[in-house]
Amino acid sequence: MPRRPFSPTRAPVVRPSIRSFGKTSPGEVMMDLLTFDRLLTGPVIHIIYWAGLGLIVLGGFAVVGGAVGLALNEPGWLSWVLAFPTLIIGLLALAIVSLLWRSFCELYVALFQIAADLKVMRAYVEQDHAPAAGPTEAVAASREANRNG
């Protein structure tokens, strides 16, 4: 897919999770924190993901440094023979950890998306199927119909 050229008139694309923070005042955020009316963890999970990914990258630097340190620890080719598998296994472990971290964060994003979808579905059902009479009046009307019918 070709990229569109930059246009100063085109508005930048902002993720919905980030956009939701811009629409609230500090008082509304505080009420959301106290009442659980809106789930705030969905947007926050993106920050947590990037922080965890940064730690994984730092772990990658540690693996490379450890392999180089192992290779330079003693003279001779045996230290290089030990360092190479250490480097490969360490980088594979980091790749697996980064995939697991991504899937863990996606699980939380999916759970919060399910919660948001259920909230929308509940509002739709309550709007569509709102009873015309109160529950006690509906029960009384059905009892009356059963007596007469």
Side-chain angles (χ1 to χ4, degrees):
M1 174 189 251
R3 294 182 67 178
R4 289 186 276 169
F6 176 74
S7 170
T9 59
R10 189 175 68 179
V13 177
V14 179
R15 292 184 180 272
S17 59
I18 296 172
R19 193 178 319 126
S20 65
F21 279 122
K23 294 182 180 178
T24 58
S25 68
E28 290 174 347
V29 170
M30 194 59 161
M31 277 307 285
D32 288 342
L33 286 173
L34 295 175
T35 61
F36 293 98
D37 286 339
R38 189 178 76 152
L39 300 175
L40 297 176
T41 310
V44 172
I45 196 70
H46 297 291
I47 298 168
I48 293 170
Y49 169 72
W50 284 106
L53 201 60
L55 291 175
I56 291 171
V57 167
L58 287 176
F61 288 137
V63 165
V64 170
V68 169
L70 184 64
L72 298 177
N73 189 22
E74 294 189 24
W77 61 273
L78 187 58
S79 61
W80 287 96
V81 170
L82 291 174
F84 186 70
T86 303
L87 178 68
I88 299 300
I89 290 170
L91 292 177
L92 285 175
L94 284 171
I96 290 170
V97 167
S98 65
L99 288 175
L100 287 174
W101 180 245
R102 171 75 185 208
S103 63
F104 178 74
C105 290
E106 281 184 5
L107 171 72
Y108 276 102
V109 168
L111 287 175
F112 283 101
Q113 187 62 42
I114 289 170
D117 291 345
L118 285 175
K119 188 175 182 180
V120 169
M121 288 172 62
R122 180 182 299 137
Y124 176 74
V125 167
E126 287 175 354
Q127 174 191 6
D128 193 34
H129 300 327
T136 56
E137 295 171 0
V139 170
S142 68
R143 286 183 184 163
E144 188 66 34
N146 288 339
R147 281 188 208 150
N148 293 338

